[in-house]
Amino acid sequence: MGIKNNSRRNFINKCFSSGGLFIGGMLLINCRGKNESPGDESETKIQGNLKDPCNDLTDVSDGEIKKRESLGYVKQSAVPISSCGNCALYIPPKSNEKCGRCILFKGPVYVEGHCIQWAAITT
Ligand code: SF4
């Protein structure tokens, strides 16, 4: 009887200790904040927020970030005569803003930026 109880106790102890490790691991994974994930997107959001307001994507949804990526948006145009600043879809910054915006997606854009939807201003 003593051996049987000891064996049962050992079994229960093993179950609780391995279950505790599992639950502890799951808690650690789930308690991680969004900005603590190691993805490039979060890095960009954090770095943009600290260094450059026109690169600050902290309030921009992942879907909007994907949209700007799918349009090939770059913060510096490779085509000297076409950039966001002379694009028909560009929204210039208001007096209290440092960065412009684009009609096609949310978030700040550089006046020197560019994407595949660049459209000439017609008057
Ligand atoms: S459409 Fe492209 S080039 Fe034009 S403002 Fe938007 S991001 Fe810039």
Side-chain angles (χ1 to χ4, degrees):
M1 181 107 173
I3 293 172
K4 207 173 190 178
N5 276 345
N6 194 20
S7 159
R8 187 179 306 154
R9 183 173 291 152
N10 284 341
F11 174 75
I12 291 170
N13 280 341
K14 282 181 184 175
C15 286
F16 276 110
S17 64
S18 60
L21 281 176
F22 176 75
I23 291 169
M26 292 304 288
L27 281 174
L28 276 175
I29 289 169
N30 288 326
C31 290
R32 234 179 29 190
K34 278 189 175 180
N35 287 339
E36 294 172 13
S37 67
D40 290 337
E41 212 166 80
S42 297
E43 287 292 317
T44 302
K45 287 182 176 182
I46 293 167
Q47 288 173 359
N49 192 18
L50 296 175
K51 293 180 183 171
D52 184 357
C54 296
N55 201 29
D56 181 4
L57 302 177
T58 48
D59 295 330
V60 179
S61 71
D62 290 345
E64 290 294 327
I65 291 172
K66 284 192 174 109
K67 204 184 293 182
R68 74 169 51 209
E69 288 171 353
S70 71
L71 294 174
Y73 171 76
V74 289
K75 60 184 183 182
Q76 178 64 55
S77 175
V79 185
I81 58 168
S82 61
S83 64
C84 293
N86 64 1
C87 173
L89 306 176
Y90 181 69
I91 303 168
K94 295 175 187 162
S95 59
N96 60 340
E97 295 175 335
K98 293 184 177 175
C99 314
R101 289 175 286 134
C102 176
I103 290 174
L104 300 178
F105 50 80
K106 292 182 179 165
V109 299
Y110 290 88
V111 70
E112 307 88 4
H114 188 263
C115 86
I116 60 172
Q117 291 296 322
W118 182 89
I121 298 170
T122 55
T123 52

